[in-house]
C-alpha cells in the first residue's frame, strides 16, 4: 500500500466560489454549511498529505470507496464522531473537537 500516491485534480476554489455566489440562494445555503465544508476540506487535505486514495482509506477503515466519497462530501452526510475518529486514524491524524463560546453580538 505504501506505493499508492494521491494525485489531486486541479481546482481553483476561489474562482468556483466567485461564480457560484452569483446564483440566487447560493450564499445562504453555502454559509449554513460552513462547518461541514471546513471538516470536509480538512479531511481532503489530510488524505492528500498522507498520499492516500479513497480506496486506500476505505481499506484501512474496513469500508468501501463510495462510503469514503460520501464521508468527504460536505453537506451530504453527517458522520458520527466514531467514524471521524476512524478516518483520522486511517490518514495518520488525531481528531480534535472543541466547543467555542460565541462572541457577544
Amino acid at each position: 500500500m505504501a506505493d499508492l500516491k494521491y494525485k489531486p485534480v486541479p481546482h481553483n476554489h476561489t474562482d468556483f466560489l466567485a461564480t457560484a455566489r452569483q446564483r440566487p440562494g447560493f450564499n445562504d445555503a453555502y454559509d449554513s454549511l460552513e462547518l461541514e465544508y471546513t471538516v470536509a476540506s480538512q479531511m481532503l487535505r489530510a488524505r492528500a498529505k498522507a498520499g492516500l486514495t479513497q480506496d486506500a482509506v476505505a481499506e484501512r477503515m474496513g469500508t468501501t470507496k463510495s462510503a469514503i466519497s460520501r464521508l468527504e462530501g460536505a453537506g451530504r452526510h453527517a458522520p458520527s464522531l466514531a467514524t471521524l475518529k476512524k478516518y483520522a486514524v486511517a490518514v495518520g491524524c488525531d481528531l480534535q473537537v472543541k466547543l467555542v463560546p460565541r462572541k457577544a453580538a
Side-chain angles (χ1 to χ4, degrees):
M1 230 183 330
D3 60 341
L4 295 176
K5 296 293 178 194
Y6 173 70
K7 295 180 182 156
V9 176
H11 170 73
N12 186 323
H13 193 65
T14 303
D15 289 346
F16 164 77
L17 280 181
T19 301
R21 287 196 179 276
Q22 295 174 14
R23 296 193 310 247
F26 178 86
N27 288 329
D28 289 339
Y30 183 83
D31 292 344
S32 73
L33 294 171
E34 180 180 5
L35 178 59
E36 287 85 348
Y37 281 111
T38 299
V39 171
S41 177
Q42 290 177 1
M43 292 170 72
L44 292 170
R45 277 197 307 272
R47 180 166 61 81
K49 186 175 180 179
L52 299 170
T53 63
Q54 286 182 336
D55 281 321
V57 173
E59 183 178 324
R60 289 178 177 197
M61 290 179 64
T63 189
T64 63
K65 177 184 175 185
S66 61
I68 300 304
S69 179
R70 286 190 303 273
L71 186 61
E72 292 177 347
R76 290 184 288 173
H77 177 69
S80 68
L81 285 176
T83 299
L84 289 173
K85 286 178 192 177
K86 286 180 185 178
Y87 186 95
V89 170
V91 297
C93 293
D94 291 319
L95 177 66
Q96 294 182 353
V97 177
K98 64 182 178 178
L99 298 175
V100 180
R102 290 184 181 170
K103 296 178 182 175

